[in-house]
Amino acid sequence: MTVMRLLLATWILTRAALLLCVFKVFTVPGPDVTSDVSVIYHGWYEVLRAGSYPLDDVTWQYPPAAALAVLAPALLPFLEYASAFFVLVLACDALVVLLLLYASGRPGTRAAGGWVWVAGVPLLGPTVYARYDLMVTAVAVAALLAGVRHPRVLGALAAFGALMKVWPVLLLAGTARGRATRLSWSAAAVTAGGLLLAASAALPGAFAFLTFQRDRGLEVESLGALVFHLARQFGWEGRVELRYGSMEFAGAHVGPVSTLALGLSVLALGWLLVWRLRARTFAVHTPADAAFTAVLLFTTTSRVISPQYMVWLVGLASVCLVFRGSRMAPPACLVLVATGVTLLEFPLGFAHVVASDAEGVTLLVVRNGLLVAATLSAGRRLWRGTVPGVRTGREGRLSRAARADTPASAP
């Protein structure tokens, strides 16, 4: 009980600090992270209320259910748009804490997951409350925790989350073979189909985001962008432009590197498919471990690594660490450190990142290096824990010794 009270007290203090930042009682150096809500989201809100998706705005790159997050502040008509949005994100944050605390009361669980969430979210700074990604993460956390006993709920929530921001479809990667997979995947298909039909019938332009997302380039914070940050030190004459709502590199050789990043994502998908085919041991924590690994794979190899993406990883890491059997503690710790470095990179040091100076490049090398290390560690641990016959190091030596000491059976 004392631990839970301490956790809740920490949540209250840290979230009060975040609210003071987004309400501009305290000003965080760097770009104004709240302008996305007060300007961009509010503009989309007006377009959606007028009866259409934002067909003429290339910054609208989200699946149709994202409209629900943008329209949600209408639930609090007594507040102006941005204030209502921040309050709703706070409510989703509180919901995640309560879900993690409730789950930690089951046998075979622990409070570590709650601490990962409580500590990890404020490490991202005010950006985490000024984007709708935390809302999507709350859906993902609820899906994974509910999926322990209710595969259909996992599937339905995963589909709903995917129609808000695509990545929650990866929650289905680690469902146990047989009944759990049939129930969750079929529920996801039915839910997605129903929501897509409803969205396309309700408003025109439900699928406009596909074109805008396809045309995106190489964002300056991505892993592939490090090539050009370093090339700038040796005379590369490319430039940074605001395109599709983010700062992207433009110039010679950017296209091939962007294509290479897509190729890495394809390889990540290939690895995930091979793992799925070869995995045989599915424990209660496997869906969370697999989802965490899959999202790490696609985040790290993406052409875009926006700061708010880190809240996805913090949320999935927190679910992993609810389960005592999960082996994801080391990559989860790497993600927490990477989240803290992300705050230093954006918004605090973003001018240095755009300028590709020593400070900016160092921050990106450290943050992206931590993500690469977390991805490799998570993939290795997921593979070793689920694929039969994979034993290395001390575990393998003990296994061989046990076999050697076992007498052969009589013919």
Side-chain angles (χ1 to χ4, degrees), residues 7-176:
L7 188 149
L8 289 173
T10 304
W11 182 85
I12 291 171
L13 290 174
T14 54
R15 276 39 177 193
L18 288 176
L19 288 176
L20 290 173
C21 290
V22 294
F23 281 110
K24 299 183 180 179
V25 177
F26 298 128
T27 302
V28 175
D32 179 9
V33 300
T34 65
S35 63
D36 274 31
V37 177
S38 58
V39 178
I40 298 175
Y41 286 15
H42 195 191
W44 292 341
Y45 172 81
E46 297 297 342
V47 173
L48 288 163
R49 288 187 66 191
S52 173
Y53 283 93
L55 298 175
D56 300 322
D57 187 348
V58 296
T59 62
W60 176 261
Q61 300 162 14
Y62 309 110
L68 297 176
V70 174
L71 291 169
L75 297 172
L76 304 175
F78 48 88
L79 295 175
E80 61 93 17
Y81 183 85
S83 298
F85 184 88
F86 300 145
V87 170
L88 290 171
V89 174
L90 175 68
C92 291
D93 187 353
L95 175 63
V96 173
V97 172
L98 294 176
L99 288 172
L100 291 169
L101 286 177
Y102 177 77
S104 67
R106 298 172 180 172
T109 60
R110 55 189 174 182
W115 281 110
V116 169
W117 179 258
V118 169
V121 167
L123 287 177
L124 198 56
T127 303
V128 76
Y129 271 23
R131 306 290 187 272
Y132 81 90
D133 295 79
L134 193 147
M135 297 178 176
V136 183
T137 304
V139 174
V141 170
L144 287 171
L145 293 176
V148 172
R149 297 179 179 176
H150 307 288
R152 286 193 181 95
V153 178
L154 166 61
L157 289 177
F160 177 59
L163 290 179
M164 293 181 74
K165 207 154 190 184
V166 181
W167 67 266
V169 71
L170 297 171
L171 303 180
L172 301 172
T175 54

Side-chain angles (χ1 to χ4, degrees), residues 17-394:
L18 288 176
L19 288 176
L20 290 173
C21 290
V22 294
F23 281 110
K24 299 183 180 179
V25 177
F26 298 128
T27 302
V28 175
D32 179 9
V33 300
T34 65
S35 63
D36 274 31
V37 177
S38 58
V39 178
I40 298 175
Y41 286 15
H42 195 191
W44 292 341
Y45 172 81
E46 297 297 342
V47 173
L48 288 163
R49 288 187 66 191
S52 173
Y53 283 93
L55 298 175
D56 300 322
D57 187 348
V58 296
T59 62
W60 176 261
Q61 300 162 14
Y62 309 110
L68 297 176
V70 174
L71 291 169
L75 297 172
L76 304 175
F78 48 88
L79 295 175
E80 61 93 17
Y81 183 85
S83 298
F85 184 88
F86 300 145
V87 170
L88 290 171
V89 174
L90 175 68
C92 291
D93 187 353
L95 175 63
V96 173
V97 172
L98 294 176
L99 288 172
L100 291 169
L101 286 177
Y102 177 77
S104 67
R106 298 172 180 172
T109 60
R110 55 189 174 182
W115 281 110
V116 169
W117 179 258
V118 169
V121 167
L123 287 177
L124 198 56
T127 303
V128 76
Y129 271 23
R131 306 290 187 272
Y132 81 90
D133 295 79
L134 193 147
M135 297 178 176
V136 183
T137 304
V139 174
V141 170
L144 287 171
L145 293 176
V148 172
R149 297 179 179 176
H150 307 288
R152 286 193 181 95
V153 178
L154 166 61
L157 289 177
F160 177 59
L163 290 179
M164 293 181 74
K165 207 154 190 184
V166 181
W167 67 266
V169 71
L170 297 171
L171 303 180
L172 301 172
T175 54
R177 293 175 180 274
R179 181 175 179 272
T181 291
R182 288 194 302 273
L183 292 177
S184 59
W185 290 24
S186 60
V190 171
T191 303
L195 289 173
L196 287 172
L197 284 174
S200 58
L203 298 174
F207 302 100
F209 76 98
L210 293 171
T211 300
F212 300 152
Q213 187 63 239
R214 180 196 63 199
D215 294 338
R216 293 199 73 166
L218 196 66
E219 192 256 350
V220 295
E221 296 164 273
S222 65
L223 182 64
L226 284 173
V227 173
F228 298 104
H229 284 294
L230 296 174
R232 273 181 153 185
Q233 317 307 313
F234 299 95
W236 181 70
E237 296 182 354
R239 59 197 180 278
V240 174
E241 297 179 349
L242 178 60
R243 301 176 59 201
Y244 299 98
S246 63
M247 304 302 290
E248 298 182 355
F249 274 120
H253 312 300
V254 172
V257 174
S258 182
T259 301
L260 178 60
L262 286 173
L264 289 176
S265 294
V266 172
L267 288 176
L269 176 61
W271 182 92
L272 196 62
L273 290 173
V274 171
W275 168 78
R276 175 75 194 183
L277 291 172
R278 295 195 58 184
R280 293 293 181 273
T281 304
F282 289 84
V284 67
H285 55 82
T286 302
D289 291 354
F292 180 50
T293 303
V295 175
L296 267 171
L297 281 164
F298 286 102
T299 300
T300 303
T301 60
S302 174
R303 295 175 297 173
V304 179
I305 305 181
S306 295
Q308 62 268 23
Y309 291 8
M310 299 303 298
V311 75
W312 311 348
L313 299 173
V314 170
L316 296 178
S318 69
V319 179
C320 291
L321 267 63
V322 162
F323 302 105
R324 292 186 181 278
S326 175
R327 306 172 67 181
M328 293 294 163
C333 290
L334 290 171
V335 163
L336 289 179
V337 177
T339 303
V341 177
T342 299
L343 173 61
L344 299 178
E345 171 260 308
F346 183 91
L348 300 183
F350 196 59
H352 298 283
V353 171
V354 172
S356 301
D357 64 19
E359 181 178 338
V361 173
T362 300
L363 287 171
L364 282 182
V365 167
V366 172
R367 196 281 300 273
N368 291 346
L370 287 166
L371 286 178
V372 170
T375 302
L376 295 174
S377 175
R380 179 172 176 268
R381 290 169 180 275
L382 179 66
W383 190 279
R384 289 181 61 187
T386 56
V387 177
V390 179
R391 298 289 186 273
T392 59
R394 181 173 180 270

